[in-house]
Amino acid sequence: MTQTDDLIKQMSKDRPGFKEKFEHYSQQFDYAVAIFNLRKTVGLTQQQLADKVGVPQSTIARVETGDGNITMKNMERIAAAVDKQLVIEFK
């Protein structure tokens, strides 16, 4: 176990609700990285992707930094804009 894992475990014990918040923001970060990587893979700027999706560039920027709470609708719109299929799975 890493020091980070130990810290998260301890904070989860000490602070009610910490674990749930951590998991939420961890998922948001995963989405942010996935969208950033997708955009780079297809060779688009934030503005170009925003234009294809029909949202302001600032929306893409917020999503990519994890500051925006992306909706399923926007995830689907991003996938469609770059001719990709959005796949969701439960683990």
Side-chain angles (χ1 to χ4, degrees):
M1 200 179 274
T2 67
Q3 285 182 321
T4 302
D5 293 332
D6 289 339
L7 178 61
I8 292 166
K9 186 176 179 180
Q10 185 61 44
M11 291 182 79
S12 294
K13 286 182 190 176
D14 296 344
R15 298 180 183 186
F18 175 83
K19 184 177 180 180
E20 292 78 13
K21 286 182 183 177
F22 175 80
E23 289 172 355
H24 169 76
Y25 287 108
S26 179
Q27 289 173 348
Q28 287 295 110
F29 181 73
D30 290 344
Y31 302 151
V33 169
I35 292 168
F36 173 84
N37 289 337
L38 172 66
R39 181 176 62 77
K40 289 295 187 175
T41 298
V42 298
L44 297 175
T45 65
Q46 287 182 347
Q47 184 63 59
Q48 290 168 327
L49 179 58
D51 291 344
K52 286 180 167 283
V53 175
V55 298
Q57 177 273 332
S58 60
T59 298
I60 301 299
R62 279 193 308 276
V63 166
E64 287 187 359
T65 59
D67 290 336
N69 190 13
I70 189 159
T71 64
M72 289 301 300
K73 181 177 179 177
N74 278 342
M75 292 280 281
E76 291 167 348
R77 291 170 68 190
I78 288 170
V82 295
D83 296 321
K84 300 289 181 181
Q85 180 181 9
L86 177 62
V87 177
I88 300 170
E89 61 184 68
F90 294 98
K91 293 185 179 185

